[in-house]
């Protein structure tokens, strides 16, 4: 609910939302659909879903996610 309240409160026209989450098996569930409905004028970037601690490949997955969203990183 805090995210929904935040999305309802502010204007996201022309903004990019890049979702990410950590989870124990549920992934995003209906979250991406809900974000799209609550901020219909925003652009939805590539989302990242990390299972538990992410394991050995977490750093690589985060780098690929940042690249996919055009975010510079080291």
């Amino acid at each position: 609910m805090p995210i929904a309240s935040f999305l309802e409160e502010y204007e996201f026209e022309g903004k990019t939302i890049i979702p990410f989450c950590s989870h124990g098996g549920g992934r995003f569930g209906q979250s991406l659909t809900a974000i799209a409905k609550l901020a219909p004028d925003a652009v939805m970037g590539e989302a990242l879903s990390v299972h538990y601690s992410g394991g050995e490949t977490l750093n690589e997955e985060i780098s690929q996610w940042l690249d996919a969203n055009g975010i510079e990183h080291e």
Side-chain angles (χ1 to χ4, degrees):
M1 290 308 297
I3 300 297
S5 296
F6 176 79
L7 293 172
E8 290 174 336
E9 182 72 21
Y10 296 96
E11 178 59 48
F12 288 91
E13 182 177 355
K15 305 292 184 199
T16 300
I17 298 173
I18 305 173
F20 62 93
C21 74
S22 62
H23 62 88
R27 306 192 112 207
F28 281 104
Q30 297 298 316
S31 297
L32 299 179
T33 302
I35 291 169
K37 287 181 182 177
L38 292 167
D41 296 327
V43 174
M44 182 83 73
E46 182 74 26
L48 174 67
S49 173
V50 176
H51 189 256
Y52 291 107
S53 64
E56 296 176 6
T57 62
L58 181 59
N59 287 342
E60 183 179 332
E61 289 178 32
I62 291 173
S63 289
Q64 290 173 356
W65 173 65
L66 293 170
D67 289 342
N69 286 292
I71 299 172
E72 291 186 30
H73 58 94
E74 293 181 17

